[in-house]
Each structure stands twice: as structure tokens, then as C-alpha cells.
């Protein structure tokens, strides 16, 4: 709908908890805002990029330094 237009979305059957656990193995990169960004591969299409609409096999997890997840989305 209009609220999700332009946003990267996961496919409905994607196991987000499994992706979060897998992303723990990816090396975090500290962002200027102090949060950690991890980019991980899922091995299969897990959603679509909001800008291009292209199917994505990679995803991003943004977390606080203490590990609290802020957001995650398909993309790079």
C-alpha cells in the first residue's frame, strides 16, 4: 500500500529470526551515529529493494552497540 511505497520489504514467509541469527556472524561496521550495521547474504531471494524493486538476496541489520535491533531490511 501507500505506507510501504519506496520501502524495502521482506517476503511474507521470510523467517526474520533466522536471518537475525545468521547476521550475527557478519562483521559489524560502526556508523557515524554509533549504531552497528551488518550486511549478510541469505542465499535465496528474501525480499525486494525499495528503490529499484529488484529481488534481494542480501539484507541489512542495524543495531545498537548492546545488540538491540533497530531495523532490518532487504538490501545492501
Amino acid at each position: 500500500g501507500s505506507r510501504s511505497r519506496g520501502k524495502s520489504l521482506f517476503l511474507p514467509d521470510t523467517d526474520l529470526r533466522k536471518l537475525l541469527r545468521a547476521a550475527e556472524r557478519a562483521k559489524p561496521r560502526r556508523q557515524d551515529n554509533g549504531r552497528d550495521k551488518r550486511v549478510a547474504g541469505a542465499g535465496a531471494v528474501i525480499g525486494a529493494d525499495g528503490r529499484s524493486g529488484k529481488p534481494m538476496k542480501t539484507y541489512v541489520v542495524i543495531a545498537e552497540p548492546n545488540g538491540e535491533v533497530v531495523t532490518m531490511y532487504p538490501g545492501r
Side-chain angles (χ1 to χ4, degrees):
S2 63
R3 292 183 69 184
S4 62
R5 188 171 295 124
K7 299 197 185 260
S8 298
L9 299 173
F10 287 101
L11 295 174
D13 60 342
T14 303
D15 186 342
L16 299 180
R17 290 176 194 238
K18 181 178 176 181
L19 293 179
L20 279 172
R21 285 190 301 273
E24 290 175 349
R25 294 188 296 271
K27 183 177 180 180
R29 298 189 70 170
R30 185 65 44 100
Q31 297 182 304
D32 291 340
N33 63 10
R35 292 179 171 157
D36 293 330
K37 177 180 180 179
R38 288 179 167 87
V39 179
V45 173
I46 45 96
D49 179 77
R51 292 184 204 138
S52 67
K54 292 182 180 180
M56 299 301 300
K57 294 182 181 182
T58 58
Y59 61 101
V60 175
V61 178
I62 305 294
E64 298 291 353
N66 67 4
E68 180 182 347
V69 174
V70 176
T71 190
M72 64 185 282
Y73 53 89
R76 294 193 144 264

